[in-house]
Amino acid sequence: MALDDIQKVSPTAQHLIVEYTSTESVANMAGPSLKTRGITVAKTLHLQIMRYVYTLVEAEDVYFEGRRLDHMPGIREFVTEWLKPGEQITSRPNGNYSVLHAYTGKKNVVVAIAMQKKLVDFATPFIDLVGDDPAPEKVLYGNPMVPFVQRGDLPPLAAAYYNTRTRRFEVIESPERARLLPEFLRRFGNREALLG
């Protein structure tokens, strides 16, 4: 068993929020439209918004009686900890950071359009698919300050950094899918960046 197998992690307040929009529907639902002389006068669109939130976590080493363990605590350690809770098995941050996929959610949006102008849209709340959203108040879709970028045939994407402790919200102007997680870890994966 490798040392990494027994590391605990502590979540930080720093998050990466990523949202994708898609016109594809699970049920292939097509909205009704009204045409006059071959020109679409009114129509409805069905959008799905997928939301992913990643949290920066700090790894911790596990210790027994002050000695760093290179294996999972065994029966002896657990019995000793049971007799003196919180004193024998401890953990300390080791300065290493990683990214944890904390949340996935989905919401449906129906948009009514007439004469090329959006009339109204109706959105359901996010349906939690995986985990609990650590930043539910910072939704990207519908925020006029957040651009959704589309590259090629991929669905439009928006991303932002959010710190739940400082409330700092920073939109990523031109997000690239393949670089989002490595850049998040590079930028915030040290104690100075998290405190500053």
Side-chain angles (χ1 to χ4, degrees), residues 49 51 103 105-109 122-128 139:
I49 313 300
R51 177 178 172 89
Y103 177 77
K106 176 180 87 167
K107 108 158 82 174
N108 293 295
V109 179
F122 170 76
T124 64
F126 276 102
I127 299 166
D128 301 335
V139 176

Side-chain angles (χ1 to χ4, degrees), residues 14-192:
Q14 191 64 49
H15 308 284
L16 168 65
I17 303 167
V18 180
E19 290 183 8
Y20 297 92
T21 65
S22 172
T23 55
E24 296 178 13
S25 171
V26 174
N28 290 328
M29 182 176 85
S33 63
L34 175 64
K35 290 186 178 186
T36 303
R37 296 184 185 180
I39 298 172
T40 302
V41 179
K43 65 180 178 179
T44 59
L45 297 174
H46 174 236
L47 296 174
Q48 288 187 355
I49 313 300
M50 292 301 297
R51 177 178 172 89
Y52 303 91
V53 181
Y54 302 91
T55 300
L56 191 68
V57 294
E58 185 173 15
E60 297 181 346
D61 291 327
V62 178
Y63 293 81
F64 176 70
E65 296 179 339
R67 188 180 84 255
R68 186 167 159 250
L69 295 177
D70 59 357
H71 56 80
M72 290 297 292
I75 301 259
R76 175 180 165 261
E77 288 89 356
F78 280 120
V79 168
T80 305
E81 178 66 20
W82 181 71
L83 293 172
K84 293 182 180 180
E87 296 178 22
Q88 306 306 313
I89 299 176
T90 58
S91 63
R92 285 183 235 148
N94 64 17
N96 294 323
Y97 291 86
S98 188
V99 176
L100 173 73
H101 177 189
Y103 177 77
T104 298
K106 176 180 87 167
K107 108 158 82 174
N108 293 295
V109 179
V110 177
V111 181
I113 298 172
M115 303 302 287
Q116 304 295 332
K117 292 192 180 203
K118 181 168 88 168
L119 295 178
V120 67
D121 63 359
F122 170 76
T124 64
F126 276 102
I127 299 166
D128 301 335
L129 301 176
V130 175
D132 294 316
D133 193 344
E137 70 278 9
K138 291 299 179 185
V139 176
L140 306 184
Y141 178 79
N143 182 337
M145 303 303 293
V146 179
F148 275 76
V149 176
Q150 184 170 14
R151 289 191 170 88
D153 293 335
L154 296 171
L157 157 77
Y161 299 123
Y162 181 60
N163 188 304
T164 51
R165 183 178 47 80
T166 64
R167 303 282 187 234
R168 180 177 160 86
F169 180 70
E170 180 184 345
V171 174
I172 301 171
E173 293 297 326
S174 186
E176 294 181 37
R177 282 173 170 74
R179 298 192 39 79
L180 283 171
L181 293 177
E183 183 62 22
F184 178 49
L185 184 59
R186 185 199 65 75
R187 180 161 178 199
F188 296 102
N190 63 65
R191 190 170 301 279
E192 294 76 31

